[in-house]
Amino acid sequence: MAKERLDKIIASTGRWSRREAKQLVREGRVLVDGAIAHAAEDKYDAQTVQICIDRETLDCQRGTYLMLNKPAGVLSATEDGRGKTVMDLLPQEYRRRGLFPVGRLDKDTEGLLLLTDDGALAHELLSPKKHVDKVYYARVSGLLKQADCDAFAAGITLGDGLVCQSARLEILTAGAESEALVTLREGKFHQVKRMLASRGKPVVALKRLRMGPLTLDETLAPGEFRALTPQEREKLGK
Ligand code: URA
């Protein structure tokens, strides 16, 4: 692990800003491996160093993994001048940790969103080459039929010529409004909505239920989040 500046390691806990961390060092309140720290610029390995502030040992381990049940009306971004983002749903301590959402859900889409500071994991889950399944619940206007499932399996070509990979459409209820599960291995812009619209079945509601080995915890109300359990982290290899 590359070494990082002391003030950066302290700030990564989300409890102090870099400026506050420097001040703590100046005030002699920071112990590094048992000795008073003198310079915020000194570099250490965050995975192994022991840092105490006012006698409290900090948890400086990298790797924060949160499962959020994204509500409709919130943007999947870290910052966006156009409105509230998923970061606004987190307490201050998490907002300072450099977390970001793994992939995007549309503003009106709900459901499973992983927030992390682990860029390598995000790449693993999002790279088209890794073929990670994403499962969505969709409610559409119109009667879904077997022909729609066959078209999804064959690979839908969208209006702009984009050819989608084979996908699974599993009809749950069929009527004037229908419900289905859609499983994709890619994540193009508005993909589920565009695929269903191309079959004349516009999406009325969309919710992501699964991403690779992670399943949405249905006890999380929209807008609620929790840290991944050790079992969930293990499934992600973390
Ligand atoms: N497909 C969509 O159309 N929207 C989403 O938010 C996710 C997948």
Side-chain angles (χ1 to χ4, degrees):
M1 182 89 191
K3 292 189 170 184
E4 292 173 279
R5 286 173 55 121
L6 179 57
D7 54 339
K8 187 168 177 213
I9 298 174
I10 294 172
S12 72
T13 62
R15 295 171 55 188
W16 299 273
S17 66
R18 290 278 286 266
R19 192 197 303 183
E20 288 163 347
K22 285 179 195 151
Q23 183 64 26
L24 288 168
V25 174
R26 274 197 294 274
E27 289 170 4
R29 292 163 64 189
V30 181
L31 291 188
V32 175
D33 294 331
I36 291 183
H38 293 294
E41 309 78 52
D42 286 351
K43 293 191 172 177
Y44 303 93
D45 181 341
Q47 301 299 326
T48 54
V49 70
Q50 192 196 55
I51 299 176
C52 298
I53 295 183
D54 297 340
R55 306 223 181 114
E56 181 197 346
T57 303
L58 303 191
D59 175 8
C60 305
Q61 296 287 312
R62 286 292 181 281
T64 301
Y65 303 90
L66 304 179
M67 175 187 293
L68 171 73
N69 185 358
K70 177 192 170 297
V74 173
L75 298 160
S76 303
T78 48
E79 267 183 46
D80 196 309
R82 291 170 302 165
K84 189 169 170 177
T85 74
V86 288
M87 292 302 153
D88 296 322
L89 301 171
L90 303 181
Q92 178 76 357
E93 126 181 34
Y94 282 111
R95 276 189 258 155
R96 284 176 168 179
R97 282 195 183 209
L99 303 180
F100 55 87
V102 178
R104 284 175 182 249
L105 293 176
D106 296 336
K107 188 173 178 186
D108 57 357
T109 301
E110 296 188 359
L112 175 63
L113 194 63
L114 177 64
L115 301 168
T116 185
D117 52 358
D118 184 339
L121 175 68
H123 177 73
E124 285 283 312
L125 291 173
L126 296 177
S127 164
K129 292 193 193 120
K130 306 281 178 179
H131 303 300
V132 172
D133 281 352
K134 288 133 213 146
V135 182
Y136 296 86
Y137 160 85
R139 192 150 48 81
V140 301
S141 173
L143 179 66
L144 282 174
K145 299 186 185 136
Q146 182 59 40
D148 299 312
C149 304
D150 297 343
F152 268 56
I156 296 224
T157 303
L158 299 175
D160 60 2
L162 182 77
V163 181
C164 300
Q165 288 175 18
S166 172
R168 186 171 146 89
L169 178 70
E170 192 187 331
I171 301 172
L172 300 175
T173 63
E177 268 199 354
S178 307
E179 295 171 296
L181 295 179
V182 178
T183 306
L184 298 184
R185 290 198 152 173
E186 42 186 1
K188 305 229 160 59
F189 187 58
H190 293 331
Q191 187 164 355
V192 175
K193 290 178 186 163
R194 288 159 77 204
M195 288 171 84
L196 284 160
S198 79
R199 301 293 304 169
K201 317 282 158 58
V203 166
V204 178
L206 191 61
K207 180 175 180 181
R208 182 156 64 195
L209 303 179
R210 195 159 70 74
M211 186 173 193
L214 274 191
T215 301
L216 176 66
D217 177 346
E218 296 279 359
T219 67
L220 292 174
E224 285 184 350
F225 74 94
R226 64 160 171 79
L228 293 193
T229 62
Q231 292 78 8
E232 288 166 334
R233 286 178 68 143
E234 195 172 332
K235 284 189 203 161
L236 293 170
K238 298 292 161 186

